[in-house]
Every structure is written in structure tokens, then in C-alpha cells.
Amino acid sequence: MYTKVPTSLNFVDREKEILQFWKENRIFEKSCELRKGRPAYTFYDGPPTANGKPHIGHILTRAMKDIIPRYRTMKGYDVLRKAGWDTHGLPVELEVEKMLGLDGKKQIEAYGVEPFIAKCKESIWKYKTEWEQMSDRVGYWADMEHPYVTYEDNYIESEWWALKTIYEKGLLYKGHKVVPYCPRCGTALASHEVAQGYKDVKEISATVRFKCTDEDASYLAWTTTPWTLPSNVCLCVNADIVYCRAEKDGEAFILAKDLVEKVLGEDAKIVREFAGSELVGRTYEPLFECTAKAAAKTGKKGFRIVADDYVSADDGTGIVHNAPAFGEDDYRVCRDNDIPFVQMVDARGNMTEDTPWAGTFVKKADPMILKDLKESGALFAEIPFEHSYPFCWRCDTPLLYYARPTWFIRMTALKDNLVRNNRTINWMPENIKEGRMGTWLENVHDWGLSRERYWGTPLPVWKCSCGNMHVVGSRAELREMAIEDPGADLELHRPFIDAVKLRCEKCGGEMVRDKAVIDCWYDSGSMPFAQWHYPFEHQEEFQQNFPANFISEAIDQTRGWFFTLHAIASMLFDSVAFKNIISNGLVLDKNGNKMSKRLGNAVDPFEVLDTYGADATRWYMISNSQPWDNLKFDRDGVDEVRRKFFGTLYNTYSFFALYANVDGFTGREEEVPMEKRPEIDRWIISLLNTLVKEVTD
Ligand code: ZN
Ligand code: ZN
């Protein structure tokens, strides 16, 4: 007998019964156990953070992450589906700071790093129940009972192994990274934090003379931040822009031809024109003696003209003053041209001891510096101007773009491998391969890996005052080199790990750990091996499940998790990390706007699931448009799917069950052999098999 089904459209209750049935009978676990030893099909779960609530977009990603593995299971594959949690990082720290009423790093350290990270560890599970409930409710089949967790010591140890391998390949180095930095909090800010604090401010900008050393003239350059001038070490032009020597009131200047009238006025006379490329290599006199001294110490040659495409003739003078310590482009240009690195501002935002303005906060030093430039004759013009400037959202201090010592992974050295491996990945949609991802890889930057924070995977680098450096690749190695054995059960986080001193192999002295923790994106990108505690354990499991056959997350992960997985796999194994990928679109509101709590247009996923059911919601999301297109989420659309698609399906089945039971019809082929069936039966069976073939293809 066929089971009769109610024809009401109350799918929600029936789904809950099914979920209960799955759970009581361990259906998911059985579906896996039954296929043990069959060909493997591997899925990697992109780990969410459980210290944020799941939103409606996560239903789409969970649905997609369920459909393909479930389909493969139904086709007889042994499908590994280990859930994961992303647990480190600044957002966790900020939440704990807020909760404890702490403000900045000084107060964290006064509170104590040990209790602080204990709170972090607690805080990351804040919404774990919501995540589990949501995953459960949408029928996401994954092993949530044995998840990988990025803060666990075994996970960290695998990352250490990888970092040591990367170091031994010559790909780990220490440099500087220019970051938006709050000098009061003593920390870099993430881009979303910077975006919160813009204000319109009135400031004085300056056009400054840089005296040529080989011609009786001055280069003119304009700056909105006079406090960066004592750290000026080069001037940058664009090789393709036309520059000129222009004279006015008996004085000669060099600047972009198109800006002569704007900068010098109508009565200036252009006496000679030349391409920016002709200026390259020429030199000028340093503005300040302190800068000249600091530059000389580096042994490199500064105060030269260099060229780069980022310079335009849209404003200023067409010549850009470069201070590598305070601008991303400046830093890049100076590094590429081997210009000295000079930083005349300390980490609290004050002018350093080496300058005439020692101890003065940069913004307060602005007028003093301008006054000194006026006296020396270097100041050409002061121009008041208004602009939008970022302030710290926490303490309202103006942010500085400031170079901090940072550990990098030399991704630029691996560009060809990254590009080549990416070409073998089956991207859905296809245009991401050469588009968003391809372009990103073609222009790949070195990966700024370290963070001057507390709650993260500690960078396993120890240094000695003799200059020796050692990267630790395992707990065993740590214990072997430690001056005092920290024991087998040492927690690898700060502050515990900071207390471990190593014996220097070179001089026998004491090596101290570099206090940095690393980017939590490195954690999640390490999951292919770290989830197995590879290479310390489970070597076979790792080999069998690498690379993944399938991954899927939203498109905003292209430069996040998709990239870090790809980057780390290329570095360690010169392999892809995944062979097939569906990059989902974003879920927007029905008018196509981004959902946000602030705008009040965010949709509660639980409320939707409880109103229309998971089947209708999932089906709506994957069939309304291609999953990689952005979805304008419309509740009416979900309701329509519920009524028309699922309603029709149920009614059809219910009609069939009723009459099949009356007629005693079983549908078994031996009862009604194919050749005895009417043509319409054979037609519909053929249609079914065609469908199966098409879906399989
Ligand atoms: Zn601050
Ligand atoms: Zn040493």
C-alpha cells in the first residue's frame, strides 16, 4: 500500500517529523557507513564563525553545500563531509573587548592576556546553537559531531609545520606593511572598521619645493599631510606624462605641463617640455637634515626621481612626494626602486627623537613643519582644504597610514604556479576563473601574514640577539629546543607560548618568540591538511581527500577562503585544493539592496524556515535564478514555490496513492512487463530515463 499523505500545504510540521526520523534512525550516519570503501568524493566545508549569527544567505550556501555531496552519496560515493569552525581573529577580540569594557591593547594587557584569550575562547561559541539549529533545520548533512576547530592545538601544530615548510622554501620574510593604524589604540584597523569613522575635516595642504641638484630649478610636489615630509625619500612621476620646466618671477620649476597654469598661474612661461621618463634617476636635495642622516644609515641611495603608473596629472603637480612609511603606493614604489626606508614617526603617532619636533603628535606637528619649511624657503604655497578623513571608531583619534613591521609570504614568487593551477579548476560560473580570480592571481601581492594581536595562531618564529632566527615546525621541535621543557600539554596560544625560550643553535644564547599571531584566513586556508593534524597523524586520510572534488561558498570568498585554500595548496603541494567550485551569488532584499540590520530589511532565516519550510526555501533559492547570480529574495516567491511546485507534487502523489491502493497497483515491472504496457506508459518511462541521463551529465 502507498502511504496516504495529507493534501494540506503545512510542510513545516511534516519536515520536522522527517528531521526527527533522520535523527532517531541516524540516517545521515548510515548513508555514510553504507558507502565506506566505495570511491571517495571529497567536500571541504568552508568554516563559518560561530560568534556571528547565521543569516538568510547562509541558507543558500548550506543548501548548495548539501545538494552536491548528497547527490554524490546517492550515486554511491563515499562522501567526506567534515564540518568546521573558524575561531580566531580580530572580530572575536573586539567583541570580548566590548563585553569587558576594555579599550585598546594597553587595557587588554593590563587586564591580562591569559584571562583575555580565555574569554575569546568562550565567546566564539556564542551562536553555535543557532548555527547547529539552522544547519539541522535546512537538512544540511555534514558531520557536525567531529568538526575541525581552528584554535585547537593539533590544528595549530599542522599550521606550524606548513609555515616552517614555507620558510624553508624561502617564502617567509619580514618587511613592512602600510596599514590604517590608530596610534592611541596601538593597532591596525580592518577596512570595515576604517569605513565606520570618516569625518569631514579642514586641513592645510602644502606645495613644496625640492631643489634639483643638477639644474637651477625646483621640483614641485603637493601633500595633504605635511607631517610625512620629514620622511620623504623620493619623488615619483609618471613616465608617460609630459612634464616641463616653467619659469615665473625669475624662478624655475619642474612639474606636469597640464598643471602649470593651475599651480603657477597664467603668467608662467613653459621653456622646455619632456616625458616623465627623462626625469627618472635625477636627484634633489633632502628637505631636512634629519631625513638625510636617517637615509644615509640605510646605505641606500634616496632623494631620487622614480616613475610609476599610479601618478596622474589630475591634481597636485603631477609629481608625488613619497614617504614609504606612510603610504601603500609609496611603500611599493620605494621597495621596487631600492629607496631607503625612513620613519620619523613613532608607534604612538609622535615625531621621533631624531626630528626637531620630537614628541609632538603628527597633526600638531603640521603647522610647525610648515613654519620651518617657510623659513628655509622650501614652502611654495599653503592651501586650506577640506576632505573626508578616517578616525578611529573606538577612540576618535585620527588614523595614520603607517608602516608596521609585518611578516609576509612571498606570493609574488609563486604567481605562475597559482595561475597555472587555477586554470585546471572547474569554476561555476566559468567567468570567475579568468575574471575575478584570474585577475587577482595575475596581480597577486605578497601576503601580509602577521597581526600584532592576541587571539590567533602564534607565528612560530623565535629570534636571538645574535641575529639568528628559527622557525619551529612541531611541538616536539619546540620541546627539544626549549631552555626549559614546557611539557607535552603546553597550550600553543599566547601568552603561554611567549614564555617559551629556545636555546640559540648559533651562539647558545636565548631566543625569544616574535609576538605576532597570524591572519585567521591562513587558518581556514590550511583546513585540507590541518583538519587531519597532517603530517603528524592521518596521512592516509589526507592523501585520499586532497584535493577536494567540490567546494562552494558565496562569491565574497573569492579573495578570502577560495584564495587562501588555493595559495596554501600551491605553496605546499603545487596542487589545486579543489577541482570543482560553485561560487554562490549574494542574497539581497527583493528590491536588490544589500540586507542589513541598520536598514531593517534583513530577513530572519528561522522565521522563513518556520513559515514556508526548508524544502520550499531551498528549492526557491536554487531554482529562482542561477545560484551564482545575486538573488533578490522575495517571500512571495518562496510561497509560490510552496504552493505551485510542492503543492502540485503532493497533490499528484496523493491522487496516485489513492487510486493505486484502490487498484492494488504496485508498479513492479514483473507484474506488468514493459512490452505489455500501453504506449503512454512506455513514453513516460523513457522520459524519466532521459531526465536521469541529463541530470547525470
Ligand atoms: Zn583608537
Ligand atoms: Zn644566537
Side-chain angles (χ1 to χ4, degrees), residues 109 174 407 450-459 461-463 494-495 497-501 512-518:
E109 283 179 23
K174 194 170 191 177
W407 289 87
S450 58
R451 300 284 181 272
E452 296 170 280
R453 297 297 309 188
Y454 309 96
W455 178 238
T457 297
L459 186 78
V461 172
W462 271 258
K463 281 190 290 192
R494 297 192 67 186
I497 193 68
D498 301 338
V500 181
K501 308 281 195 293
V512 180
R513 197 184 80 83
D514 185 302
K515 295 281 185 289
V517 296
I518 66 170

PDB file of all heavy atoms in Angstrom, residues 109 174 407 450-459 461-463 494-495 497-501 512-518:
ATOM      1  N   GLU A 109      46.231  44.370  27.985  1.00  0.00           N
ATOM      2  CA  GLU A 109      47.407  43.841  28.674  1.00  0.00           C
ATOM      3  C   GLU A 109      47.337  44.071  30.175  1.00  0.00           C
ATOM      4  O   GLU A 109      47.813  43.250  30.962  1.00  0.00           O
ATOM      5  CB  GLU A 109      48.681  44.400  28.039  1.00  0.00           C
ATOM      6  CG  GLU A 109      48.920  43.649  26.730  1.00  0.00           C
ATOM      7  CD  GLU A 109      50.118  44.080  25.930  1.00  0.00           C
ATOM      8  OE1 GLU A 109      51.051  44.659  26.508  1.00  0.00           O
ATOM      9  OE2 GLU A 109      50.104  43.821  24.712  1.00  0.00           O
ATOM     10  N   LYS A 174      60.336  39.094   6.592  1.00  0.00           N
ATOM     11  CA  LYS A 174      59.806  40.208   7.368  1.00  0.00           C
ATOM     12  C   LYS A 174      60.025  41.515   6.610  1.00  0.00           C
ATOM     13  O   LYS A 174      61.119  41.765   6.114  1.00  0.00           O
ATOM     14  CB  LYS A 174      60.496  40.286   8.721  1.00  0.00           C
ATOM     15  CG  LYS A 174      59.767  41.199   9.683  1.00  0.00           C
ATOM     16  CD  LYS A 174      60.315  41.082  11.094  1.00  0.00           C
ATOM     17  CE  LYS A 174      59.386  41.795  12.070  1.00  0.00           C
ATOM     18  NZ  LYS A 174      59.814  41.665  13.456  1.00  0.00           N
ATOM     19  N   TRP A 407      55.252  40.227   8.826  1.00  0.00           N
ATOM     20  CA  TRP A 407      55.762  39.033   8.150  1.00  0.00           C
ATOM     21  C   TRP A 407      54.932  38.784   6.905  1.00  0.00           C
ATOM     22  O   TRP A 407      53.711  38.870   6.948  1.00  0.00           O
ATOM     23  CB  TRP A 407      55.690  37.828   9.077  1.00  0.00           C
ATOM     24  CG  TRP A 407      56.697  37.906  10.178  1.00  0.00           C
ATOM     25  CD1 TRP A 407      56.534  38.522  11.380  1.00  0.00           C
ATOM     26  CD2 TRP A 407      58.032  37.400  10.156  1.00  0.00           C
ATOM     27  NE1 TRP A 407      57.682  38.424  12.120  1.00  0.00           N
ATOM     28  CE2 TRP A 407      58.619  37.725  11.389  1.00  0.00           C
ATOM     29  CE3 TRP A 407      58.787  36.685   9.213  1.00  0.00           C
ATOM     30  CZ2 TRP A 407      59.919  37.372  11.716  1.00  0.00           C
ATOM     31  CZ3 TRP A 407      60.081  36.330   9.533  1.00  0.00           C
ATOM     32  CH2 TRP A 407      60.632  36.673  10.766  1.00  0.00           C
ATOM     33  N   SER A 450      51.245  38.511   9.405  1.00  0.00           N
ATOM     34  CA  SER A 450      51.243  38.668  10.861  1.00  0.00           C
ATOM     35  C   SER A 450      50.307  39.767  11.338  1.00  0.00           C
ATOM     36  O   SER A 450      49.985  40.699  10.618  1.00  0.00           O
ATOM     37  CB  SER A 450      52.671  38.950  11.342  1.00  0.00           C
ATOM     38  OG  SER A 450      53.184  40.101  10.721  1.00  0.00           O
ATOM     39  N   ARG A 451      49.841  39.601  12.572  1.00  0.00           N
ATOM     40  CA  ARG A 451      48.971  40.588  13.220  1.00  0.00           C
ATOM     41  C   ARG A 451      49.539  40.852  14.606  1.00  0.00           C
ATOM     42  O   ARG A 451      49.906  39.905  15.306  1.00  0.00           O
ATOM     43  CB  ARG A 451      47.553  40.032  13.375  1.00  0.00           C
ATOM     44  CG  ARG A 451      46.869  39.649  12.073  1.00  0.00           C
ATOM     45  CD  ARG A 451      46.379  40.871  11.311  1.00  0.00           C
ATOM     46  NE  ARG A 451      45.694  40.508  10.081  1.00  0.00           N
ATOM     47  CZ  ARG A 451      46.308  40.319   8.913  1.00  0.00           C
ATOM     48  NH1 ARG A 451      47.609  40.437   8.812  1.00  0.00           N
ATOM     49  NH2 ARG A 451      45.619  40.010   7.838  1.00  0.00           N
ATOM     50  N   GLU A 452      49.549  42.103  15.020  1.00  0.00           N
ATOM     51  CA  GLU A 452      50.051  42.422  16.363  1.00  0.00           C
ATOM     52  C   GLU A 452      48.904  42.313  17.362  1.00  0.00           C
ATOM     53  O   GLU A 452      48.453  43.308  17.925  1.00  0.00           O
ATOM     54  CB  GLU A 452      50.630  43.833  16.360  1.00  0.00           C
ATOM     55  CG  GLU A 452      51.845  43.961  15.442  1.00  0.00           C
ATOM     56  CD  GLU A 452      52.279  45.411  15.250  1.00  0.00           C
ATOM     57  OE1 GLU A 452      51.668  46.120  14.441  1.00  0.00           O
ATOM     58  OE2 GLU A 452      53.211  45.830  15.927  1.00  0.00           O
ATOM     59  N   ARG A 453      48.384  41.086  17.499  1.00  0.00           N
ATOM     60  CA  ARG A 453      47.217  40.871  18.353  1.00  0.00           C
ATOM     61  C   ARG A 453      47.437  39.678  19.275  1.00  0.00           C
ATOM     62  O   ARG A 453      48.563  39.221  19.437  1.00  0.00           O
ATOM     63  CB  ARG A 453      45.966  40.645  17.486  1.00  0.00           C
ATOM     64  CG  ARG A 453      45.569  41.814  16.628  1.00  0.00           C
ATOM     65  CD  ARG A 453      45.171  43.060  17.384  1.00  0.00           C
ATOM     66  NE  ARG A 453      44.179  42.849  18.426  1.00  0.00           N
ATOM     67  CZ  ARG A 453      43.586  43.838  19.089  1.00  0.00           C
ATOM     68  NH1 ARG A 453      43.865  45.100  18.821  1.00  0.00           N
ATOM     69  NH2 ARG A 453      42.717  43.566  20.040  1.00  0.00           N
ATOM     70  N   TYR A 454      46.352  39.172  19.866  1.00  0.00           N
ATOM     71  CA  TYR A 454      46.465  38.148  20.904  1.00  0.00           C
ATOM     72  C   TYR A 454      45.840  36.808  20.528  1.00  0.00           C
ATOM     73  O   TYR A 454      46.428  35.760  20.735  1.00  0.00           O
ATOM     74  CB  TYR A 454      45.813  38.659  22.196  1.00  0.00           C
ATOM     75  CG  TYR A 454      46.324  40.018  22.588  1.00  0.00           C
ATOM     76  CD1 TYR A 454      45.632  41.173  22.240  1.00  0.00           C
ATOM     77  CD2 TYR A 454      47.545  40.139  23.257  1.00  0.00           C
ATOM     78  CE1 TYR A 454      46.131  42.428  22.570  1.00  0.00           C
ATOM     79  CE2 TYR A 454      48.041  41.384  23.589  1.00  0.00           C
ATOM     80  CZ  TYR A 454      47.328  42.532  23.241  1.00  0.00           C
ATOM     81  OH  TYR A 454      47.825  43.755  23.555  1.00  0.00           O
ATOM     82  N   TRP A 455      44.611  36.862  20.003  1.00  0.00           N
ATOM     83  CA  TRP A 455      43.842  35.639  19.799  1.00  0.00           C
ATOM     84  C   TRP A 455      44.009  35.140  18.365  1.00  0.00           C
ATOM     85  O   TRP A 455      43.256  35.530  17.467  1.00  0.00           O
ATOM     86  CB  TRP A 455      42.368  35.896  20.141  1.00  0.00           C
ATOM     87  CG  TRP A 455      41.473  34.707  19.919  1.00  0.00           C
ATOM     88  CD1 TRP A 455      40.377  34.654  19.095  1.00  0.00           C
ATOM     89  CD2 TRP A 455      41.564  33.414  20.530  1.00  0.00           C
ATOM     90  NE1 TRP A 455      39.807  33.410  19.145  1.00  0.00           N
ATOM     91  CE2 TRP A 455      40.511  32.625  20.025  1.00  0.00           C
ATOM     92  CE3 TRP A 455      42.446  32.847  21.455  1.00  0.00           C
ATOM     93  CZ2 TRP A 455      40.313  31.305  20.409  1.00  0.00           C
ATOM     94  CZ3 TRP A 455      42.248  31.523  21.827  1.00  0.00           C
ATOM     95  CH2 TRP A 455      41.184  30.776  21.313  1.00  0.00           C
ATOM     96  N   GLY A 456      45.016  34.333  18.154  1.00  0.00           N
ATOM     97  CA  GLY A 456      45.260  33.794  16.831  1.00  0.00           C
ATOM     98  C   GLY A 456      46.329  32.731  16.913  1.00  0.00           C
ATOM     99  O   GLY A 456      46.927  32.504  17.978  1.00  0.00           O
ATOM    100  N   THR A 457      46.583  32.080  15.783  1.00  0.00           N
ATOM    101  CA  THR A 457      47.659  31.103  15.727  1.00  0.00           C
ATOM    102  C   THR A 457      48.979  31.847  15.876  1.00  0.00           C
ATOM    103  O   THR A 457      49.268  32.743  15.096  1.00  0.00           O
ATOM    104  CB  THR A 457      47.634  30.363  14.375  1.00  0.00           C
ATOM    105  OG1 THR A 457      46.413  29.644  14.294  1.00  0.00           O
ATOM    106  CG2 THR A 457      48.811  29.423  14.230  1.00  0.00           C
ATOM    107  N   PRO A 458      49.783  31.505  16.905  1.00  0.00           N
ATOM    108  CA  PRO A 458      51.037  32.239  17.097  1.00  0.00           C
ATOM    109  C   PRO A 458      52.014  31.952  15.959  1.00  0.00           C
ATOM    110  O   PRO A 458      52.133  30.802  15.530  1.00  0.00           O
ATOM    111  CB  PRO A 458      51.582  31.693  18.417  1.00  0.00           C
ATOM    112  CG  PRO A 458      50.451  30.969  19.057  1.00  0.00           C
ATOM    113  CD  PRO A 458      49.567  30.499  17.957  1.00  0.00           C
ATOM    114  N   LEU A 459      52.669  32.993  15.484  1.00  0.00           N
ATOM    115  CA  LEU A 459      53.720  32.820  14.482  1.00  0.00           C
ATOM    116  C   LEU A 459      54.874  32.063  15.146  1.00  0.00           C
ATOM    117  O   LEU A 459      55.389  32.502  16.173  1.00  0.00           O
ATOM    118  CB  LEU A 459      54.200  34.196  14.012  1.00  0.00           C
ATOM    119  CG  LEU A 459      55.197  34.191  12.866  1.00  0.00           C
ATOM    120  CD1 LEU A 459      54.466  33.947  11.546  1.00  0.00           C
ATOM    121  CD2 LEU A 459      55.953  35.507  12.804  1.00  0.00           C
ATOM    122  N   VAL A 461      58.003  31.860  15.142  1.00  0.00           N
ATOM    123  CA  VAL A 461      59.334  32.382  14.843  1.00  0.00           C
ATOM    124  C   VAL A 461      60.010  32.841  16.131  1.00  0.00           C
ATOM    125  O   VAL A 461      59.434  33.637  16.881  1.00  0.00           O
ATOM    126  CB  VAL A 461      59.250  33.574  13.864  1.00  0.00           C
ATOM    127  CG1 VAL A 461      60.611  34.237  13.707  1.00  0.00           C
ATOM    128  CG2 VAL A 461      58.723  33.122  12.507  1.00  0.00           C
ATOM    129  N   TRP A 462      61.200  32.314  16.390  1.00  0.00           N
ATOM    130  CA  TRP A 462      61.990  32.726  17.558  1.00  0.00           C
ATOM    131  C   TRP A 462      63.250  33.428  17.071  1.00  0.00           C
ATOM    132  O   TRP A 462      63.832  33.022  16.043  1.00  0.00           O
ATOM    133  CB  TRP A 462      62.360  31.518  18.405  1.00  0.00           C
ATOM    134  CG  TRP A 462      61.343  31.171  19.446  1.00  0.00           C
ATOM    135  CD1 TRP A 462      61.411  31.446  20.773  1.00  0.00           C
ATOM    136  CD2 TRP A 462      60.107  30.465  19.259  1.00  0.00           C
ATOM    137  NE1 TRP A 462      60.295  30.970  21.429  1.00  0.00           N
ATOM    138  CE2 TRP A 462      59.475  30.365  20.523  1.00  0.00           C
ATOM    139  CE3 TRP A 462      59.445  29.929  18.134  1.00  0.00           C
ATOM    140  CZ2 TRP A 462      58.236  29.742  20.702  1.00  0.00           C
ATOM    141  CZ3 TRP A 462      58.209  29.308  18.317  1.00  0.00           C
ATOM    142  CH2 TRP A 462      57.619  29.222  19.589  1.00  0.00           C
ATOM    143  N   LYS A 463      63.639  34.477  17.793  1.00  0.00           N
ATOM    144  CA  LYS A 463      64.814  35.228  17.366  1.00  0.00           C
ATOM    145  C   LYS A 463      65.810  35.404  18.510  1.00  0.00           C
ATOM    146  O   LYS A 463      65.425  35.483  19.667  1.00  0.00           O
ATOM    147  CB  LYS A 463      64.393  36.595  16.823  1.00  0.00           C
ATOM    148  CG  LYS A 463      63.856  36.466  15.395  1.00  0.00           C
ATOM    149  CD  LYS A 463      63.648  37.800  14.728  1.00  0.00           C
ATOM    150  CE  LYS A 463      62.490  38.543  15.334  1.00  0.00           C
ATOM    151  NZ  LYS A 463      62.068  39.701  14.560  1.00  0.00           N
ATOM    152  N   ARG A 494      49.086  32.381  22.785  1.00  0.00           N
ATOM    153  CA  ARG A 494      49.600  33.402  23.669  1.00  0.00           C
ATOM    154  C   ARG A 494      48.748  33.388  24.938  1.00  0.00           C
ATOM    155  O   ARG A 494      47.566  33.096  24.848  1.00  0.00           O
ATOM    156  CB  ARG A 494      49.472  34.791  23.020  1.00  0.00           C
ATOM    157  CG  ARG A 494      50.285  34.963  21.755  1.00  0.00           C
ATOM    158  CD  ARG A 494      50.338  36.425  21.358  1.00  0.00           C
ATOM    159  NE  ARG A 494      51.112  37.191  22.360  1.00  0.00           N
ATOM    160  CZ  ARG A 494      51.225  38.513  22.337  1.00  0.00           C
ATOM    161  NH1 ARG A 494      50.644  39.227  21.395  1.00  0.00           N
ATOM    162  NH2 ARG A 494      51.932  39.137  23.255  1.00  0.00           N
ATOM    163  N   PRO A 495      49.238  33.749  26.108  1.00  0.00           N
ATOM    164  CA  PRO A 495      50.607  34.174  26.380  1.00  0.00           C
ATOM    165  C   PRO A 495      51.535  32.998  26.706  1.00  0.00           C
ATOM    166  O   PRO A 495      52.720  33.191  26.884  1.00  0.00           O
ATOM    167  CB  PRO A 495      50.433  35.051  27.632  1.00  0.00           C
ATOM    168  CG  PRO A 495      49.304  34.401  28.359  1.00  0.00           C
ATOM    169  CD  PRO A 495      48.384  33.866  27.303  1.00  0.00           C
ATOM    170  N   ILE A 497      52.757  30.475  25.013  1.00  0.00           N
ATOM    171  CA  ILE A 497      53.833  30.188  24.070  1.00  0.00           C
ATOM    172  C   ILE A 497      54.933  31.257  24.153  1.00  0.00           C
ATOM    173  O   ILE A 497      56.108  30.977  23.911  1.00  0.00           O
ATOM    174  CB  ILE A 497      53.266  30.068  22.633  1.00  0.00           C
ATOM    175  CG1 ILE A 497      54.290  29.464  21.680  1.00  0.00           C
ATOM    176  CG2 ILE A 497      52.789  31.396  22.078  1.00  0.00           C
ATOM    177  CD1 ILE A 497      54.598  28.029  21.951  1.00  0.00           C
ATOM    178  N   ASP A 498      54.534  32.494  24.521  1.00  0.00           N
ATOM    179  CA  ASP A 498      55.516  33.590  24.594  1.00  0.00           C
ATOM    180  C   ASP A 498      56.568  33.329  25.677  1.00  0.00           C
ATOM    181  O   ASP A 498      57.676  33.853  25.626  1.00  0.00           O
ATOM    182  CB  ASP A 498      54.820  34.932  24.906  1.00  0.00           C
ATOM    183  CG  ASP A 498      53.781  35.284  23.856  1.00  0.00           C
ATOM    184  OD1 ASP A 498      53.881  34.750  22.733  1.00  0.00           O
ATOM    185  OD2 ASP A 498      52.875  36.076  24.165  1.00  0.00           O
ATOM    186  N   ALA A 499      56.163  32.536  26.668  1.00  0.00           N
ATOM    187  CA  ALA A 499      57.069  32.298  27.791  1.00  0.00           C
ATOM    188  C   ALA A 499      58.139  31.259  27.462  1.00  0.00           C
ATOM    189  O   ALA A 499      59.096  31.087  28.209  1.00  0.00           O
ATOM    190  CB  ALA A 499      56.249  31.837  29.004  1.00  0.00           C
ATOM    191  N   VAL A 500      57.961  30.563  26.331  1.00  0.00           N
ATOM    192  CA  VAL A 500      58.927  29.508  25.994  1.00  0.00           C
ATOM    193  C   VAL A 500      60.144  30.119  25.288  1.00  0.00           C
ATOM    194  O   VAL A 500      60.028  30.724  24.229  1.00  0.00           O
ATOM    195  CB  VAL A 500      58.276  28.438  25.080  1.00  0.00           C
ATOM    196  CG1 VAL A 500      59.282  27.345  24.747  1.00  0.00           C
ATOM    197  CG2 VAL A 500      57.045  27.850  25.754  1.00  0.00           C
ATOM    198  N   LYS A 501      61.307  29.969  25.915  1.00  0.00           N
ATOM    199  CA  LYS A 501      62.549  30.485  25.325  1.00  0.00           C
ATOM    200  C   LYS A 501      63.334  29.314  24.742  1.00  0.00           C
ATOM    201  O   LYS A 501      63.375  28.234  25.328  1.00  0.00           O
ATOM    202  CB  LYS A 501      63.410  31.161  26.411  1.00  0.00           C
ATOM    203  CG  LYS A 501      62.670  32.206  27.241  1.00  0.00           C
ATOM    204  CD  LYS A 501      62.543  33.521  26.495  1.00  0.00           C
ATOM    205  CE  LYS A 501      62.142  34.673  27.406  1.00  0.00           C
ATOM    206  NZ  LYS A 501      60.769  34.551  27.958  1.00  0.00           N
ATOM    207  N   VAL A 512      63.844  34.407  21.711  1.00  0.00           N
ATOM    208  CA  VAL A 512      62.538  34.854  22.178  1.00  0.00           C
ATOM    209  C   VAL A 512      61.571  34.850  20.994  1.00  0.00           C
ATOM    210  O   VAL A 512      61.954  35.164  19.875  1.00  0.00           O
ATOM    211  CB  VAL A 512      62.660  36.289  22.737  1.00  0.00           C
ATOM    212  CG1 VAL A 512      61.321  36.796  23.238  1.00  0.00           C
ATOM    213  CG2 VAL A 512      63.704  36.332  23.845  1.00  0.00           C
ATOM    214  N   ARG A 513      60.323  34.500  21.274  1.00  0.00           N
ATOM    215  CA  ARG A 513      59.356  34.447  20.185  1.00  0.00           C
ATOM    216  C   ARG A 513      58.964  35.838  19.698  1.00  0.00           C
ATOM    217  O   ARG A 513      58.788  36.755  20.497  1.00  0.00           O
ATOM    218  CB  ARG A 513      58.084  33.703  20.623  1.00  0.00           C
ATOM    219  CG  ARG A 513      57.211  33.257  19.449  1.00  0.00           C
ATOM    220  CD  ARG A 513      55.919  32.605  19.892  1.00  0.00           C
ATOM    221  NE  ARG A 513      54.909  33.571  20.263  1.00  0.00           N
ATOM    222  CZ  ARG A 513      54.111  34.199  19.394  1.00  0.00           C
ATOM    223  NH1 ARG A 513      54.209  33.956  18.111  1.00  0.00           N
ATOM    224  NH2 ARG A 513      53.226  35.079  19.818  1.00  0.00           N
ATOM    225  N   ASP A 514      58.834  35.990  18.395  1.00  0.00           N
ATOM    226  CA  ASP A 514      58.234  37.187  17.810  1.00  0.00           C
ATOM    227  C   ASP A 514      56.762  37.161  18.251  1.00  0.00           C
ATOM    228  O   ASP A 514      56.093  36.150  18.106  1.00  0.00           O
ATOM    229  CB  ASP A 514      58.342  37.102  16.278  1.00  0.00           C
ATOM    230  CG  ASP A 514      57.848  38.357  15.586  1.00  0.00           C
ATOM    231  OD1 ASP A 514      56.676  38.722  15.801  1.00  0.00           O
ATOM    232  OD2 ASP A 514      58.621  38.968  14.834  1.00  0.00           O
ATOM    233  N   LYS A 515      56.266  38.269  18.827  1.00  0.00           N
ATOM    234  CA  LYS A 515      54.950  38.229  19.470  1.00  0.00           C
ATOM    235  C   LYS A 515      53.746  38.111  18.528  1.00  0.00           C
ATOM    236  O   LYS A 515      52.604  38.055  18.977  1.00  0.00           O
ATOM    237  CB  LYS A 515      54.749  39.478  20.338  1.00  0.00           C
ATOM    238  CG  LYS A 515      55.698  39.582  21.522  1.00  0.00           C
ATOM    239  CD  LYS A 515      55.243  38.699  22.673  1.00  0.00           C
ATOM    240  CE  LYS A 515      56.100  38.864  23.895  1.00  0.00           C
ATOM    241  NZ  LYS A 515      57.449  38.277  23.697  1.00  0.00           N
ATOM    242  N   ALA A 516      53.994  38.093  17.228  1.00  0.00           N
ATOM    243  CA  ALA A 516      52.881  38.158  16.286  1.00  0.00           C
ATOM    244  C   ALA A 516      52.005  36.906  16.295  1.00  0.00           C
ATOM    245  O   ALA A 516      52.457  35.808  16.598  1.00  0.00           O
ATOM    246  CB  ALA A 516      53.419  38.385  14.878  1.00  0.00           C
ATOM    247  N   VAL A 517      50.715  37.104  16.002  1.00  0.00           N
ATOM    248  CA  VAL A 517      49.850  35.985  15.633  1.00  0.00           C
ATOM    249  C   VAL A 517      49.596  36.134  14.132  1.00  0.00           C
ATOM    250  O   VAL A 517      49.975  37.140  13.536  1.00  0.00           O
ATOM    251  CB  VAL A 517      48.513  35.980  16.423  1.00  0.00           C
ATOM    252  CG1 VAL A 517      48.776  35.786  17.890  1.00  0.00           C
ATOM    253  CG2 VAL A 517      47.709  37.242  16.167  1.00  0.00           C
ATOM    254  N   ILE A 518      48.968  35.134  13.534  1.00  0.00           N
ATOM    255  CA  ILE A 518      48.824  35.215  12.084  1.00  0.00           C
ATOM    256  C   ILE A 518      47.373  35.406  11.654  1.00  0.00           C
ATOM    257  O   ILE A 518      46.435  35.130  12.399  1.00  0.00           O
ATOM    258  CB  ILE A 518      49.436  33.996  11.359  1.00  0.00           C
ATOM    259  CG1 ILE A 518      48.670  32.723  11.697  1.00  0.00           C
ATOM    260  CG2 ILE A 518      50.911  33.844  11.718  1.00  0.00           C
ATOM    261  CD1 ILE A 518      49.075  31.546  10.833  1.00  0.00           C
TER     262      ILE A 518
END
